[in-house]
Amino acid sequence: MSSEFGRIKREDISEIIEGICKLPARERTALKRCCGKLLKDADAGATMAFYQVYSLPANLDWTKDRLFTVACMRCMWDVLGEEDGEEEKTVPIEKVLYKKRRELEEKDSGGWSGMERRLLRLLDRKWDRDGILCTDLWRMVKQMKNEGNIIDMVSLGWDLCNWNAEGRKVQQHWLQVCYQKKKEEEKNAD
């Protein structure tokens, strides 16, 4: 992301995700059906629902596809009620990856190696208009949801908005969280 495009704030992403949660069920369903698609490939119902909550200035237009992606994925879960404390159960995706790695390695199964290959393929991709990263990410999030995890979409939206940043800081962070603790675990085992 270059400075000529403008910087997005976490609060902007949070407002969009909160707006998605307030949409009627019909519109959230339209968004959910577009999981794994870019905005340019979405149907009119999902596009209309997205633009009801997306109102960022023109210098942030480069974020539309990325925020559409997280808006659609947010609709995979029912609306989480703050009164139930469910909002606090959301977890950043990199922490779910860490937990999954630990689980699979403790079982001594070859399951992590398959997940690891998918993760590395995902982390090697750039965000672009072909939508492959979007589809791969959606599949991974879908698997995590099926395992009972609630992914923090504000955090994921922030990561996607910074995905192509110089130095690949998002990818570095995900790998650090997922594997740095592995080193600590090995030290503690000695």
Side-chain angles (χ1 to χ4, degrees):
M1 175 186 73
S2 98
S3 59
E4 70 188 68
F5 291 120
R7 303 223 9 103
I8 190 161
K9 299 177 196 152
R10 278 189 190 266
E11 296 82 29
D12 295 331
I13 299 168
S14 184
E15 282 180 30
I16 290 169
I17 297 302
E18 287 171 17
I20 292 297
C21 294
K22 293 175 184 174
L23 289 173
R26 183 186 83 235
E27 292 167 355
R28 288 193 319 270
T29 300
L31 285 165
K32 182 179 174 179
R33 280 193 227 117
C34 286
C35 280
K37 295 180 181 178
L38 296 174
L39 182 59
K40 68 181 179 76
D41 300 321
D43 62 39
T47 303
M48 178 199 67
F50 177 69
Y51 281 123
Q52 287 181 42
V53 298
Y54 180 90
S55 60
L56 296 178
N59 70 324
L60 295 175
D61 278 353
W62 61 271
T63 66
K64 284 181 187 176
D65 271 331
R66 299 161 200 232
L67 297 178
F68 178 76
T69 296
V70 294
C72 292
M73 286 192 283
R74 174 60 189 87
C75 295
M76 293 167 53
W77 288 269
D78 293 332
V79 175
L80 303 174
E82 288 181 18
E83 65 279 353
D84 300 335
E86 289 181 344
E87 197 63 40
E88 296 171 8
K89 295 179 186 175
T90 63
V91 182
I93 193 169
E94 63 272 20
K95 289 187 179 179
V96 175
L97 289 165
Y98 166 72
K99 184 177 117 186
K100 183 71 172 171
R101 178 190 62 79
R102 293 235 8 230
E103 259 175 41
L104 292 172
E105 286 181 350
E106 284 174 9
K107 290 180 185 176
D108 240 3
S109 71
W112 174 247
S113 63
M115 181 84 162
E116 185 176 49
R117 281 192 302 275
R118 287 179 32 216
L119 173 62
L120 294 176
R121 225 179 16 251
L122 180 79
L123 295 176
D124 282 338
R125 293 197 188 285
K126 281 194 154 299
W127 183 276
D128 57 24
R129 302 286 294 164
D130 66 6
I132 295 171
L133 174 64
C134 178
T135 302
D136 288 348
L137 181 62
W138 165 66
R139 288 180 182 141
M140 187 173 281
V141 169
K142 183 179 176 185
Q143 179 182 352
M144 292 173 175
K145 182 210 182 272
N146 291 341
E147 294 171 356
N149 297 294
I150 303 171
I151 304 300
D152 180 354
M153 287 298 147
V154 174
S155 174
L156 184 57
W158 177 257
D159 287 350
L160 290 180
C161 286
N162 291 287
W163 193 263
N164 291 346
E166 192 173 316
R168 302 169 46 88
K169 291 179 182 179
V170 170
Q171 295 87 332
Q172 295 290 328
H173 174 71
W174 284 22
L175 289 168
Q176 182 179 4
V177 168
C178 195
Y179 288 100
Q180 184 174 13
K181 293 186 181 186
K182 183 175 183 177
K183 290 179 186 176
E184 292 169 11
E185 292 159 14
E186 289 170 356
K187 285 179 186 176
N188 291 338
D190 293 338

